[in-house]
Amino acid sequence: MKMFGVLCLGAFLAAAAPVHAAPQDRRSDQEAARAGRLQGKLLPLRTIEARVVPQMERQGARYLGFDFDSGTGIYTLKFLRNGNVIWIDVDGRTGQVMSRSGG
């Protein structure tokens, strides 16, 4: 029975995970994020994480990582709590939380 639960959780996480961009697209996003930081247009990821991660950890969520969309300048921070994935969209220019979904 315990194995069934683990398999269900794995299937859920696989289904809930966003489709990842091709490696060249990810590289472009990383380069755009770096350029934005150097130009002072984007906050460093560490600054954004320092604002959001502790708050989510206090709510019992574990930080999984992030995605960055160079077209919008939005960082999506991903968390896991009680088997549910939570996505937090943060404006990379201001550090303001824009939306939260899941969990």
Side-chain angles (χ1 to χ4, degrees):
M1 187 66 168
K2 186 175 185 179
M3 182 59 128
F4 178 74
V6 170
L7 291 173
C8 287
L9 176 60
F12 172 77
L13 291 176
V19 175
H20 292 288
Q24 63 271 21
D25 292 340
R26 276 186 143 323
R27 200 166 310 125
S28 310
D29 284 343
Q30 290 172 350
E31 290 168 1
R34 183 175 187 279
R37 284 190 310 273
L38 292 175
Q39 295 168 5
K41 294 179 181 177
L42 292 174
L43 293 171
L45 172 63
R46 301 302 171 228
T47 300
I48 291 170
E49 288 174 331
R51 293 178 183 182
V52 177
V53 172
Q55 181 179 15
M56 292 301 294
E57 286 177 340
R58 283 191 296 274
Q59 296 175 22
R62 183 170 57 97
Y63 183 50
L64 300 176
F66 73 96
D67 285 325
F68 176 73
D69 183 336
S70 62
T72 61
I74 294 174
Y75 285 94
T76 300
L77 281 61
K78 295 177 275 188
F79 297 87
L80 182 66
R81 181 178 62 206
N82 299 327
N84 296 310
V85 179
I86 303 166
W87 293 274
I88 308 285
D89 290 332
V90 181
D91 186 326
R93 293 172 286 276
T94 65
Q96 183 174 349
V97 172
M98 300 174 61
S99 66
R100 174 182 172 149
S101 59

